[in-house]
Amino acid sequence: MSPSDDRRGGLGTVRNAVTLLELLAHGPAYHQLTDLAERSSMSIPTVHRLLRSLVLADLAVQDPATSRYGLGPELSRLSHHYLTRLPLIGALSPYLSQVRDKLGTTVHVEVLVRGEVVYVDRVDGGAVGPYRDTNRVQPALSTAGGRLLAARGSEPEWTLALELAGQADREEAAQQRTSWAHAEWLCVQPEDLTIPAEVAVPVLDATGAAVGAIAAELTGPGGIERAEEATAYLGRAAKAAGRTLGHG
């Protein structure tokens, strides 16, 4: 079967629909039909047909005022069901509050998805700032946990992470992948100093595969200096959780 036949078949339709969902997930909340067609390299009729199907399934919505398209509410329901079944969350949840209490700061659980880090669980520290960023998704290589996970990932996963990274992060990653892949922990301070630094430890399952990361925010004066102290608590939680994962 040729690539064009594949695109016309059922598998190609699914891939095209996923491509549109990915485009809807980035940039503004709502997108023009013609813009989606141009960015996806699909014809306008094809994009329109796929979007109508996605809207009927509540995977996408159309703004009646502008006729633009955005992500739909069904995605949040499916995401919730996925997270309730994610073994990593169940394995780490008994330890998050303990680590938070020891460090006095917010603790996250992170997974790598298509070149981005998704923060799938958290326990807040005493000071969470003016905004509580509960559903955070960031380019993997801009975060400590993302660097640990992407460096240990497959070549396609690493390539996706590089594509989504900023220029500075991409250049650093090219030099540091081997080091990150063997690191027991990493700490990253964003360029915006109002954003807390992050220290992360990988969570390895029984086979030695990195299935996620547990991370802590380092806030206030001397935050970075606490990184090594924080990794002691994060590391114990990661090892305890890892013993319950990957046993079939």
Side-chain angles (χ1 to χ4, degrees):
M1 179 181 294
S2 69
S4 59
D5 290 334
D6 179 68
R7 288 177 65 87
R8 287 196 295 267
L11 181 58
T13 299
V14 172
R15 286 176 176 168
N16 289 339
V18 170
T19 295
L20 291 179
L21 290 173
E22 186 72 24
L23 293 174
L24 292 174
H26 295 280
Y30 291 92
H31 300 254
Q32 291 182 337
L33 172 64
T34 53
D35 181 54
L36 291 170
E38 180 179 353
R39 292 166 61 201
S40 66
S41 298
M42 289 184 267
S43 68
I44 290 178
T46 296
V47 172
H48 186 241
R49 174 175 54 81
L50 289 169
L51 287 171
R52 282 191 302 170
S53 297
L54 291 172
V55 169
L56 287 173
D58 285 333
L59 295 170
V61 293
Q62 185 177 26
D63 184 344
T66 65
S67 297
R68 296 187 178 193
Y69 293 88
L71 294 177
E74 179 67 5
L75 293 169
S76 62
R77 187 182 72 86
L78 293 175
S79 173
H80 176 75
H81 283 297
Y82 169 74
L83 292 176
T84 59
R85 293 165 171 80
L86 190 64
L88 177 67
I89 292 180
L92 278 173
S93 60
Y95 307 104
L96 297 185
S97 294
Q98 298 175 27
V99 176
R100 184 271 315 273
D101 292 344
K102 292 291 186 182
L103 298 176
T105 189
T106 299
V107 180
H108 301 276
V109 180
E110 308 170 11
V111 295
L112 179 68
V113 182
R114 294 182 64 83
E116 295 180 308
V117 159
V118 182
Y119 291 69
V120 295
D121 200 3
R122 66 182 280 151
V123 175
D124 286 323
V128 296
Y131 303 104
R132 187 176 185 275
D133 191 6
T134 55
N135 301 308
R136 191 188 306 176
V137 180
Q138 292 183 246
L141 299 182
S142 68
T143 71
R147 291 179 177 187
L148 290 168
L149 297 175
R152 287 167 166 79
S154 66
E155 286 304 317
E157 289 171 330
W158 178 252
T159 299
L160 278 173
L162 288 174
E163 290 175 354
L164 295 174
Q167 182 63 32
D169 289 331
R170 192 180 303 120
E171 291 175 355
E172 185 176 3
Q175 300 173 7
Q176 298 292 335
R177 182 184 183 182
T178 300
S179 174
W180 294 348
H182 294 91
E184 295 184 359
W185 62 275
L186 283 178
C187 183
V188 170
Q189 171 66 67
E191 291 185 8
D192 183 351
L193 297 181
T194 64
I195 300 175
E198 177 184 280
V199 59
V201 171
V203 180
L204 309 181
D205 67 14
T207 70
V211 295
I214 178 171
E217 294 182 359
L218 302 176
T219 57
I224 289 288
E225 286 73 14
R226 299 185 60 205
E228 193 164 354
E229 171 200 355
T231 60
Y233 298 109
L234 295 170
R236 283 196 285 271
K239 288 179 181 178
R243 286 193 289 268
T244 71
L245 296 167
H247 290 286

